[in-house]
């Protein structure tokens, strides 16, 4: 999976967190953070996870944090 965004609002005071869970109904507080990085200077980010055969289904979410 490759995921990215462009909010066109450069903001160096925030980071993004990519969260994952095997159960989409889990509360977000129970999801696992797999990466936390600053946004690029233009307000974008990119995240690519490896494709590993046999890996159980995963769901992803992204949130901005200060």
């Amino acid at each position: 999976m490759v995921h990215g965004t462009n909010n066109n609002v450069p903001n160096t005071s925030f980071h993004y967190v990519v969260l994952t869970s095997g159960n989409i109904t889990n509360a977000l507080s129970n999801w696992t953070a797999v990466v936390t990085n600053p946004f690029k200077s233009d307000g974008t980010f990119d995240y690519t996870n490896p494709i590993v055969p046999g890996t159980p289904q995963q769901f992803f979410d992204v949130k901005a944090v200060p």
Side-chain angles (χ1 to χ4, degrees), residues 1-2 5 10 17-18 27 31 34-35 37-38 43 46-47 57 63 65:
M1 177 189 92
V2 178
T5 188
V17 179
V18 176
W31 288 40
V34 292
V35 67
N37 285 321
D46 296 303
Y47 169 74
Q57 178 174 307
K63 68 178 180 176
V65 294

Side-chain angles (χ1 to χ4, degrees), residues 7 9 12 26 28 30 34 39 61:
N7 62 9
V9 180
T12 57
N26 282 347
L28 283 178
N30 294 327
V34 292
F39 285 99
D61 192 17

Side-chain angles (χ1 to χ4, degrees), residues 18-35:
V18 176
L19 304 165
T20 186
S21 175
N23 183 345
I24 199 166
T25 64
N26 282 347
L28 283 178
S29 60
N30 294 327
W31 288 40
T32 303
V34 292
V35 67

Side-chain angles (χ1 to χ4, degrees), residues 12-13 16 27 34 38 40 47 58 60 64:
T12 57
S13 64
Y16 66 90
V34 292
K40 295 179 186 176
Y47 169 74
Q58 291 182 309
F60 292 88

